[in-house]
Amino acid sequence: MPSIKKLLVANRGEIALRIMRSAKEMGIKTVAVYSEADRLSPHVKFADEAICLGPPPSNQSYLLADKIIEACKELGVDAIHPGYGFLSENAGFSQKVSDAGIIFVGPSPESIEVMGSKLAAKQAVSKYDIPLVPGTEEAISDIAAAKSKAQEIGYPILIKASAGGGGKGMRIVESEAEFEEQMQRAVSEAQSAFGDGAVFIEKFITSPRHIEIQILGDQHGNIVYLFERECSIQRRHQKVIEEAPSAVVTPEMRKAMGEAAVGVAKACNYYGAGTVEFIVDDKLNFYFLEMNTRLQVEHPVTEMITGKDLVKEQIWVAEGKKLNFVQEDLKINGHSLEVRVYAEDPRNNFLPDIGKLITYKRPQGPGIRVDDGFEEGMDIPIYYDPMIAKLITHAESREAAIDRMLRAIEDYEITGIQTTLDFCRFALEHEAFVSGNFDTKFVERYFTPEVLDQKLSPEEEEMLAALAVEFFNAQKSKSTNKTTESNPSQSTSMWRNRLK
């Protein structure tokens, strides 16, 4: 069984730093890679060794697979952790790493390839009785045939790029009259963004929640699920606030979703850490959306409620070790929230606001965690995702976790640029979020730039506080009276009944 002694992290910023910290705790030497724009970044300083890949643009630095592998050979690196983004879900890179005799801290190239295509993923999981959104089972390009399928499914429908992500190549079609134009646009955008114009059609869920299940598997066939994360507060189809567990998932639903996620992992012989994403409708029916074959940005909330270090688990799995726990060992401890601190201006349609971090002071205290990759005085580069940090809180209840997050946001001092902190505060204080009655259209329904400059009156603050207390007392009472959790056969049959 191989033992990793030196790990190269093929990424940058906060995730590179976060991976290196766990590696160092395991006694593993670390190697950073960086572009010229990141020469002074904390992850470069933290690593035992560092190597410059090239100029700032990603295609001249962080996406240079061959150069990264060559650096590994020069420095005697045993393994590569790709983080997320960049090359993390590139099956070709994973294969090259393996062919070079280097351990890839992630799933097999075959798993990445299957789950990297939404169509291939749907076909793979269809054998496991996993609920799927009604739609086409293969790519479609003939407009007449596509239009006929849309009529069969019923409007509104969603046209999605098979190789897509981040909302690219995605079009909502409300009626047949606009179908042809929207399909042509989706195909064109998919071709431009991914080099693959394949699209498919599925029913559009009108009040969707985005709930995902964290899974972990070893190379010996053992797979567990580490509960759910609610990721419905989004802008431009990208997450801004995440929490674990979800405010609406019942114990029986959690078990059903978890077992479905394990089925998805089995469908592609998955090992390592991965996330199975589901779309949930207003009746709490859930449908498989896609699988992310990597560590997620929001993985810290799962770590906080389970006590598991997912990076260490990834490394142990990559070394060939068996999981040292089973499903029954996992319990939910309290509640955790994460807000993504982006260098964006919520008052200007969340457009990036690049500049210098003139003031940068992190919040501190019990139950507060900051994963970041910047220091005071640094510039936010224009070449990469504008996320500055992830602010995470953990407490014994959802109410306490929200309160702790609001205090942490208040204590987070950032000047020189606009950030999403004000928006996150607005969202966390909103009645829809406090009550748990929200979906992915939160921004569209409730947010305008003007609300950030409005202050609640004392009466409104008192009313909101009373509402929160009433909601959480009701949830506590509801949870106490539940008996279905002790009857797993009942929850399983309820799930299977929905599939019939």
Side-chain angles (χ1 to χ4, degrees):
M1 192 176 294
S3 177
I4 296 172
K5 297 180 175 58
K6 186 181 285 192
L7 176 73
L8 181 144
V9 182
N11 218 294
R12 63 180 295 276
E14 61 87 14
I15 189 58
L17 199 54
R18 185 263 169 278
I19 292 166
M20 289 176 190
R21 286 187 173 125
S22 285
K24 284 203 174 185
E25 286 187 3
M26 299 171 75
I28 297 171
K29 297 287 186 181
T30 58
V31 177
V33 293
Y34 62 95
S35 73
E36 292 168 1
D38 286 333
R39 186 176 297 276
L40 300 178
S41 291
H43 82 278
V44 177
K45 299 175 184 177
F46 186 84
D48 296 295
E49 297 175 86
I51 188 164
C52 182
L53 294 174
S58 300
N59 61 1
Q60 298 177 48
S61 53
Y62 294 106
L63 294 176
L64 297 180
D66 292 337
K67 192 165 186 177
I68 290 171
I69 292 171
E70 190 58 39
C72 290
K73 293 177 180 177
E74 290 176 11
L75 299 176
V77 167
D78 305 307
I80 293 177
H81 194 307
Y84 49 70
F86 295 132
L87 296 167
S88 62
E89 292 181 286
N90 186 310
F93 177 63
S94 173
Q95 188 64 60
K96 283 185 175 184
V97 172
S98 180
D99 291 345
I102 301 166
I103 296 171
F104 183 76
V105 183
S108 69
E110 293 77 18
S111 295
I112 296 173
E113 188 168 7
V114 169
M115 289 299 159
S117 164
K118 291 182 174 63
L119 286 171
K122 288 177 74 172
Q123 291 166 359
V125 306
S126 63
K127 304 168 187 174
Y128 284 81
D129 270 350
I130 292 163
L132 300 172
V133 179
T136 58
E137 295 181 1
E138 55 189 21
I140 194 164
S141 57
D142 181 86
I143 290 180
K147 194 177 289 187
S148 175
K149 186 66 178 179
Q151 288 176 333
E152 179 186 326
I153 296 169
Y155 290 95
I157 59 102
L158 192 62
I159 303 174
K160 298 173 71 174
S162 177
K168 294 182 176 66
M170 184 184 295
R171 288 289 185 277
I172 299 169
V173 185
E174 301 284 353
S175 67
E176 185 175 343
E178 60 183 273
F179 181 86
E180 187 169 335
E181 179 186 357
Q182 294 293 355
M183 182 164 174
Q184 289 173 343
R185 287 185 177 181
V187 170
S188 175
E189 188 172 325
Q191 183 65 46
S192 174
F194 310 110
D196 181 355
V199 300
F200 63 101
I201 297 169
E202 64 184 27
K203 179 70 177 174
F204 179 65
I205 307 298
T206 52
S207 297
R209 296 181 80 115
H210 185 136
I211 298 178
E212 60 191 30
I213 302 288
Q214 175 72 55
I215 63 100
L216 187 66
D218 62 26
Q219 298 183 53
H220 306 276
N222 303 302
I223 305 172
V224 297
Y225 62 90
L226 290 85
F227 313 117
E228 82 277 3
R229 296 186 289 255
E230 170 83 60
C231 307
S232 298
I233 305 295
Q234 305 178 0
R235 51 95 181 94
R236 296 195 298 274
H237 301 286
Q238 293 180 323
K239 306 159 192 172
V240 185
I241 299 175
E242 300 100 350
E243 61 179 314
S246 167
V248 298
V249 172
T250 61
E252 61 267 25
M253 182 179 174
R254 178 172 297 121
K255 184 175 187 295
M257 291 183 78
E259 290 176 349
V262 169
V264 172
K266 288 180 177 177
C268 65
N269 299 313
Y270 197 87
Y271 56 80
T275 295
V276 181
E277 302 196 351
F278 294 94
I279 192 167
V280 179
D281 67 17
D282 55 358
K283 296 181 178 61
L284 298 185
N285 299 304
F286 62 88
Y287 306 95
F288 171 68
L289 190 61
E290 63 182 345
M291 184 178 191
N292 290 304
T293 54
R294 54 172 167 78
L295 199 65
Q296 290 279 89
V297 175
E298 58 272 18
H299 75 273
V301 294
T302 296
E303 294 184 325
M304 301 299 264
I305 66 165
T306 62
K308 298 296 181 184
D309 183 321
L310 291 178
V311 171
K312 289 182 180 179
E313 296 293 342
Q314 283 186 298
I315 292 172
W316 284 322
V317 166
E319 290 179 328
K321 294 182 175 69
K322 289 185 178 181
L323 296 181
N324 62 2
F325 58 91
V326 295
Q327 189 65 56
E328 291 69 30
D329 295 329
L330 293 166
K331 308 295 179 188
I332 295 176
N333 172 32
H335 199 95
S336 184
L337 293 166
E338 173 182 297
V339 304
R340 301 191 190 187
V341 186
Y342 284 106
E344 295 178 347
D345 187 356
R347 294 172 175 82
N348 189 23
N349 198 30
F350 292 93
L351 290 177
D353 190 58
I354 307 303
K356 184 184 289 292
L357 291 172
I358 295 173
T359 306
Y360 187 70
K361 292 183 171 58
R362 304 168 185 84
Q364 299 179 40
I368 295 173
R369 167 178 167 179
V370 179
D371 284 16
D372 61 8
F374 289 94
E375 295 173 345
E376 192 169 274
M378 290 181 63
D379 290 319
I380 307 295
I382 63 173
Y383 307 99
Y384 317 113
D385 184 275
M387 189 170 71
I388 301 169
K390 301 180 309 198
L391 173 59
I392 305 109
T393 60
H394 179 253
E396 67 277 4
S397 67
R398 185 171 188 261
E399 180 182 17
I402 292 173
D403 286 345
R404 183 163 281 169
M405 179 63 79
L406 290 170
R407 289 196 300 275
I409 289 173
E410 191 68 28
D411 290 344
Y412 212 147
E413 293 184 44
I414 303 177
T415 64
I417 56 167
Q418 297 296 320
T419 75
T420 49
L421 282 173
D422 282 349
F423 165 77
C424 292
R425 180 193 295 111
F426 160 78
L428 293 169
E429 291 178 335
H430 197 279
E431 177 184 348
F433 186 86
V434 171
S435 68
N437 184 25
F438 61 93
D439 56 37
T440 58
K441 295 184 178 179
F442 178 91
V443 170
E444 179 184 330
R445 286 199 179 107
Y446 304 119
F447 179 72
T448 61
E450 292 75 25
V451 300
L452 297 182
D453 300 313
Q454 295 174 357
K455 297 292 184 183
L456 291 178
S457 67
E459 293 79 11
E460 288 172 324
E461 289 183 347
E462 187 175 336
M463 186 186 307
L464 187 62
L467 175 68
V469 171
E470 182 181 340
F471 170 74
F472 286 112
N473 285 339
Q475 289 294 102
K476 184 176 181 181
S477 174
K478 184 178 178 182
S479 175
T480 302
N481 294 330
K482 277 195 175 295
T483 58
T484 53
E485 188 171 14
S486 62
N487 188 356
S489 61
Q490 178 184 353
S491 63
T492 302
S493 63
M494 288 173 63
W495 170 52
R496 298 204 177 278
N497 286 339
R498 287 214 310 275
L499 305 184
K500 295 178 181 177

